[in-house]
Structures are given as C-alpha cells and as structure tokens.
Amino acid sequence: MLSQGALGRRGALLYNPAAGRRRAERLRDALLAVLAAGGWEIEAVATGAPGDATTIAGELARGGRVEAVFALGGDGTLREVATGLLGSEVALAPLPAGTTNVLARALGIPLRPLAAAQALAVARRRPLAVGLCGATPFLMMVSAGLDAAIMGALSGRAKARWGQGAVVAQGLASWWGYRFPPLVARWPGGEASGSFVAVCNIPLYAGPFAMAPTARADDDRLEVVLLRGGGRLTTLGFSADLVRGRHLRRGDVVSACVEEVELSGPPALPLQVDGDPCRESLPVRVRVASQRLQVLAPASD
C-alpha cells in the first residue's frame, strides 16, 4: 500500500497487524493519512514473526528506496527495527504503541501514535548512539538482576493484554521469589559488586523514571547504576527512591560514567535489553557501537 504525499519524501511504515488486539492494523490507515498530509509517500509493511522487523528494516536500508522507517510498536519493536537500520542513512521514526514507550519519552516524541506521526513528519534526523551488550544492540539500557528476571518470566500474551498491570503483577511474584545472586561490574578505573546493575544509554527507565539523569544518547558514554545491597526490603527501598528521584543519594548505590563495562556473575543470571530478555550470558562486555543510528525526532533543547 502506498500513500501519495505532496512533497514525495519516501518512507515505510512497519507494523504488526496482530499487536495490541489488532490496534496497529486499525491505526494503519489513519497513520498513512497523517504522514501523507506531511508530505510522505509511505509503503506499509506488516511483520508476522519475531525478527521480521530487523530483517525488513535491513532490506529497506540496503534498498535505497526510503529515507525513514516509521516503526509502530513498543520499545522492543523499535530496538528490532534499529538493529536493521544501524549504520545506514535510513532513519528510525518511532511511533509509540507499547506499554511504557521509554524511548519516545526520552526523545520528546508525543506518546499518542497519530500525534507522533504528525510531529515526525516534519522532524529532522539526528544521530543516536547505540549500545552493545555483547553482540546485541540496545537503545535504552541493559540490566541484570530482578528486573531482568521479571522480563524473562513475563508472558508476552499477558503483557499485550494487560499492559503495565501484567508487569506489576509479575514484578510482585518475582520480587518475592528472587534470590538476589551477586554480580560484578568492572570498568577502567572502577569496580563494584551488588545485586542489580543498569547500564544506561538514555536517562529514563521503566517509563518516566530517571535512572541515569545525566545519560546522553548522542555521545560515546554509558551510565552505570549499581545497587550494592540485596534482599527484598533493600530492593523495595531502592525502587521507591527511584520513583522519587532520590536513588542516587543512597549510600548503597554506585554510579559511574564509562566508555565500556564488563558485567559478570552466575552464567544463568538473566539480562534484559530495552525491556526484553537478552540472549547474551554473563560475563558480557557492554559498550557503545562504533556505528550510529539515524532517528527522526523533535529538536532537542
């Protein structure tokens, strides 16, 4: 399907027709109309299986037919599309339709898909640094600890149906049964051990919460936030302080700005990237990719 725009800028819309109880399919035509009004000729491309978004985005990047890929979905979908576009001149244009939409929040993109399409139709491209957890790209963060255990145990069907409620319910169940195994983060000039670590490329985490307030996605640095303590009450207190923006004041929290960091611990300890389980296993090296991702986003302050 091709929607004709007055200015003839060419792009593609990637969407999963079954996502969100077929909400994406219902939004497709409205999104095409908004983008056409903004001067874009858009080819709508449906995905059908995990990994399709990366494969299709890679083909679009190599084909030279489009200058942007408008990706409708959550943070995991955006990461898949970005993986296919990394290092190319084809820009990722995020249309948020997920549970928390952390990347869109960080980039200043409206959280409603049609408003986002309207804003991105006239937005300029800008480079975005991408992190690597081993060989796995990430846009927002990689973490190890309780949150990764929650994401690993969370049913994709439950998340799609119940949204943030499913995450909260699984979080409570995992929090009660988690054993808080120790892990270690090592970087040039520093080392710390604890029960949770996040390596952040952007400030936000789990929605609007500023896990790493000074993180920037346009440089070659990552922010490490590590909780030294373990146990249910310590983790609960840390989470409450994160919500209040006070977690970095805690005596049991270590933070550092690094170029790379090695995470180590039990090989079975789960990892998560951008809210999805990560297939990498500990120990793993985390760093910034040498290539950049182009994104369409409102101008930053």
Side-chain angles (χ1 to χ4, degrees):
M1 177 182 293
L2 192 66
S3 175
Q4 296 294 329
L7 300 181
R9 300 178 71 187
R10 296 182 65 87
L13 170 65
L14 263 60
Y15 70 102
N16 180 351
R21 287 171 287 186
R22 308 201 76 83
R23 177 174 179 244
E25 188 172 42
R26 295 193 298 270
L27 278 170
R28 180 192 61 190
D29 290 345
L31 289 168
L32 293 175
V34 169
L35 293 171
W40 288 83
E41 298 177 5
I42 298 293
E43 176 185 0
V45 184
T47 63
D52 277 2
T54 297
T55 300
I56 295 169
E59 292 171 351
L60 290 167
R62 293 187 296 272
R65 296 186 294 113
V66 301
E67 61 179 279
V69 174
F70 293 83
L72 178 65
D75 291 309
T77 297
L78 299 182
R79 187 185 65 81
E80 283 194 14
V81 175
T83 299
L85 299 180
L86 183 61
S88 78
E89 291 302 311
V90 178
L92 169 67
L95 299 175
T99 303
T100 51
N101 303 306
V102 181
L103 183 66
R105 293 174 188 269
L107 294 177
I109 296 171
L111 298 183
R112 298 169 66 180
L114 295 179
Q118 187 174 28
L120 296 184
V122 296
R124 295 184 177 182
R125 71 174 55 220
R126 70 192 211 208
L128 186 78
V130 172
L132 289 176
C133 176
T136 302
F138 64 91
L139 303 177
M140 304 184 314
M141 95 295 289
V142 55
S143 66
L146 176 59
D147 66 340
I150 293 169
M151 293 298 104
L154 183 63
S155 161
R157 180 175 297 179
K159 187 176 179 181
R161 183 174 183 180
W162 302 110
Q164 195 67 27
V167 178
V168 172
Q170 183 59 60
L172 290 172
S174 296
W175 170 74
W176 185 255
Y178 191 65
R179 300 304 180 192
F180 301 94
L183 55 87
V184 179
R186 296 184 180 89
W187 60 91
E191 176 179 324
S193 60
S195 64
F196 165 81
V197 64
V199 184
C200 304
N201 190 44
I202 65 172
L204 300 183
Y205 171 92
F209 308 117
M211 174 70 79
T214 61
R216 295 177 57 95
D218 57 359
D219 61 10
D220 291 316
R221 311 280 284 180
L222 298 165
E223 297 286 334
V224 174
V225 178
L226 182 142
L227 176 63
R228 286 190 181 275
R232 288 193 290 270
L233 292 181
T234 297
T235 301
L236 187 62
F238 172 80
S239 300
D241 285 336
L242 171 63
V243 170
R244 293 193 292 258
R246 301 175 181 174
H247 61 293
L248 296 182
R249 304 178 194 173
R250 294 174 60 100
D252 58 358
V253 169
V254 176
S255 63
C257 181
V258 305
E259 294 182 356
E260 65 177 71
V261 58
E262 182 185 72
L263 306 181
S264 60
L269 188 69
L271 296 163
Q272 68 93 11
V273 287
D274 294 353
D276 286 329
C278 180
R279 295 181 180 179
E280 306 284 346
S281 59
L282 298 176
V284 68
R285 178 186 174 213
V286 183
R287 64 197 187 282
V288 177
S290 59
Q291 297 174 309
R292 289 289 183 269
L293 174 72
Q294 300 297 316
V295 296
L296 292 185
S300 57
D301 295 335

